[in-house]
Every structure is written in structure tokens, then in C-alpha cells.
Amino acid sequence: TASIAPAAADIAPGQHATVAVLLDVAAARPLAAASLLLHYDPQIVRPVHCAAPPGAAWQGACNPNFNLLQGQIKFNLLDSAGV
């Protein structure tokens, strides 16, 4: 299950907000790699950067410019420990 935190934020035009993309994987189903698309409203939001937090178990890349017209950020993740 993927989610973002915070789920909502009130910011003025031109201000920045940081959101975390959370990926919850059931322990009974180990996961070595994942790809996901985060959808947003491009009329309201303009992503500027994405990165994994220091010390994160997942490695990989994200592309905040994947699809600016449709409002999509692509994530490709790899668990450094494997399955």
C-alpha cells in the first residue's frame, strides 16, 4: 500500500511543502523492487525535487518531470537487502 504524509496541506502560491511517500509491504510478502506512479493535479502542484531520506532501506530513483502534463512522478525502488 502506498500513501503520502501529510495527506493534505494548506500553502500559499509560491510556497513549498514536503510530503513523504510511504510504501507499506506486508511482512509475509517480501519485496525486492517496485515501480510506482504518484499522480497530482498539475494545475495546483509543481514538484521540484524528490529523494530518499538518509538511511532509507530502499534505494532507487524518482523522476519529478516524468509527465508534467498529466501530473505524474515515477519512482523505481530497490531494496538493498534483496528478498
Side-chain angles (χ1 to χ4, degrees):
T1 305
S3 61
I4 61 168
D10 291 324
I11 59 171
Q15 287 185 319
H16 291 90
T18 300
V19 296
V21 177
L22 308 171
L23 183 61
D24 184 22
V25 179
R29 294 184 175 179
L31 186 66
S35 292
L36 63 106
L37 286 175
L38 175 66
H39 295 265
Y40 62 91
D41 184 341
Q43 298 298 319
I44 299 172
V45 176
R46 183 176 55 100
V48 293
H49 179 73
C50 57
W58 289 87
Q59 298 176 2
C62 58
N63 182 353
N65 300 314
F66 179 70
N67 190 326
L68 297 174
L69 293 176
Q70 293 184 8
Q72 298 175 341
I73 299 173
K74 185 167 187 174
F75 294 85
N76 292 308
L77 307 170
L78 176 66
D79 184 349
S80 57
V83 176

